[in-house]
Amino acid sequence: TPRFALISLALSKQASPDWVEGFYAGVRSLARRNGVTIIGGDTALVSHNSFVDVVVAGEVPAGRALRRSGARPGDQIFVSGRLGLSALGLRLLKTRVAATSPNQAIRAHLYPMPRIELGLFLSQKRLASALMDLSDGLSSDLTRLCQSSGVGAAVWASRIPKPATAAKGKRSPAWAMDLALNGGEDYELLFTVPPRKLNRIPPRFRGLPLHCIGEVQQTKSLSLILPDGTSRPLEPGGWDHFRT
């Protein structure tokens, strides 16, 4: 449960007072929605681009934390929402790519919503064996979850909830799949569920779709099962904070 936030804001000389006020209006709105108190931070003036650093402190009952390290072979892999929408929204803003739901994609990029309620539900009901948010892309974050748990995974491509695009050429189903696997900044939840608890996972949680997309395996490798039944290695292709 999130409780407190610290916000450090380094402003470029080009940042306008209207931008700053708009930024903090958004911060306060999200904080109020989740019962978070902004207790401080820092400000600075920089000569180049503005940047923001946010630290959120929360609490969890002893022994109830959901970690990345709890997945076991046979567990089913779930994601919430629709993946790749934020990446599509960014491309729409930059290049005006045609899409069936442009406003939805742009909103997903500009106004990401943390899935606090779903995380609390999975924790309080003891339904998930492992959990993390999807900030760097499914391909990269699933790799991290599996590495922490010492397992591998098989993911069915046809079950991944991709963004809907209405364009030709490279903006094809394969392009949408790339957004879903590698786009990042979705902030949906990735979690695993033991087989005995599957019947307790609803298809939707407060209107948010929950999708079973794969299975945890004993082997340490990750594979993507294509619609024709063939498979290929699923390599981490999302954001890497330490890539040079």
Side-chain angles (χ1 to χ4, degrees):
T1 303
R3 296 299 187 198
F4 308 104
L6 294 160
I7 300 173
S8 294
L9 179 62
L11 286 172
S12 75
K13 296 178 180 180
Q14 288 72 42
S16 69
D18 287 344
W19 184 92
V20 176
E21 291 177 3
F23 168 75
Y24 274 105
V27 169
R28 288 193 298 269
S29 176
L30 188 60
R32 284 194 299 268
R33 177 187 176 100
N34 292 284
V36 172
T37 302
I38 302 170
I39 60 172
D42 198 7
T43 55
L45 185 66
V46 293
S47 58
H48 300 294
N49 294 334
S50 300
F51 64 89
V52 183
D53 179 69
V54 180
V55 176
V56 179
E59 60 185 14
V60 61
R64 299 295 289 273
L66 277 173
R67 308 176 190 273
R68 303 179 183 188
S69 56
R72 298 293 178 263
D75 289 357
Q76 300 298 291
I77 302 167
F78 282 79
V79 295
S80 64
R82 185 166 295 279
L83 307 185
L85 272 182
S86 177
L88 175 60
L90 178 60
R91 284 158 176 77
L92 286 168
L93 290 168
K94 286 185 172 182
T95 63
R96 298 184 181 180
V97 174
T100 56
S101 303
N103 292 335
Q104 181 186 25
I106 291 173
R107 185 169 185 82
H109 182 71
L110 295 179
Y111 304 98
M113 296 302 299
R115 302 304 186 187
I116 305 298
E117 295 87 353
L118 175 58
L120 289 172
F121 168 76
L122 294 170
S123 173
Q124 292 166 356
K125 300 296 183 181
R126 298 180 181 268
L127 296 177
S129 54
L131 180 145
M132 65 183 294
D133 76 330
L134 287 167
S135 58
D136 296 330
L138 175 64
S139 64
S140 292
D141 287 329
L142 179 59
T143 297
R144 291 169 182 143
L145 186 147
C146 288
Q147 289 175 342
S148 294
S149 297
V151 296
V155 176
W156 296 287
S158 60
R159 296 189 183 183
I160 296 174
K162 304 176 291 294
T165 59
K168 298 179 180 180
K170 69 176 183 178
R171 296 155 196 170
S172 62
W175 185 72
M177 177 63 74
D178 180 68
L179 293 178
L181 287 174
N182 306 316
E185 294 193 322
D186 288 307
Y187 301 106
E188 297 292 349
L189 293 189
L190 165 68
F191 59 99
T192 57
V193 179
R196 68 183 184 280
K197 298 182 179 181
L198 286 176
N199 61 353
R200 297 170 58 191
I201 301 295
R204 304 177 78 87
F205 176 79
R206 299 183 182 178
L208 178 68
L210 306 180
H211 307 273
C212 181
I213 64 167
E215 182 174 309
V216 177
Q217 297 189 330
Q218 184 73 44
T219 175
K220 301 296 179 63
S221 61
L222 276 71
S223 60
L224 183 67
I225 311 301
L226 304 177
D228 63 3
T230 61
S231 66
R232 64 174 176 84
L234 179 58
E235 303 290 345
W239 176 255
D240 182 346
H241 297 268
F242 299 101
R243 182 180 295 144
T244 57

